[in-house]
Amino acid sequence: MRLLLASLLFVTACAGTASYSATGSISTPDLVVIEPGVQVIADYDEPIFYSENYYWRNDGGRWYRSSYHNRGWVVYEAPQRVRSISQPNRYRRYKPAGYQPKSSRPAPYRPAPSNQARPDHDNRDHDKHYDKDDRKEDKRDRKEERKEDKRDRKEDRKEDKRDRKDDKYDRKD
């Protein structure tokens, strides 16, 4: 009986609650539709397309994809709707008729958070938190880029090995 009572007390003492919350923001490029299922980054230095949840870039006839619009490119077979874009370079700095950049559009209405409703509230701790989150996100992004680069190098080595093997067999014939 004492053992049961001690066990119940231990379990009760260990029980508790925890909560977690996080906030952040992601900067996304200004995408405009060029055909159903395909968008392009408007007024951008190079033609970057978005389709099927990936960004696509053509370089010398080869298609590259990434989860990000500005890094992490990997050679990949593009979907048909992306491959069928004739002259992808004509979408460099593309601005459709009536285009208005994000920066000049009126901001959507968002009520102020309760901590900003008071004019005497000091946001320094809040800003420090965002800086830390931004640094963590950048670190994760760099780590993911290194992983992708490592996978690319590994795939390139495999492909080179297959090519050498094919050349070896070709020479035997």
Side-chain angles (χ1 to χ4, degrees), residues 65-80:
R65 88 170 187 183
S66 175
S67 298
Y68 307 95
H69 73 282
N70 56 358
R71 64 184 181 280
W73 298 104
V74 178
V75 174
Y76 208 86
E77 185 176 339
Q80 178 59 38

Side-chain angles (χ1 to χ4, degrees), residues 121-137:
H121 181 73
D122 188 355
N123 278 327
R124 281 181 291 190
D125 290 337
H126 181 71
D127 292 342
K128 193 186 316 180
H129 175 72
Y130 275 110
D131 290 343
K132 186 176 180 181
D133 286 346
D134 288 342
R135 287 193 306 271
K136 282 183 179 180
E137 185 177 343

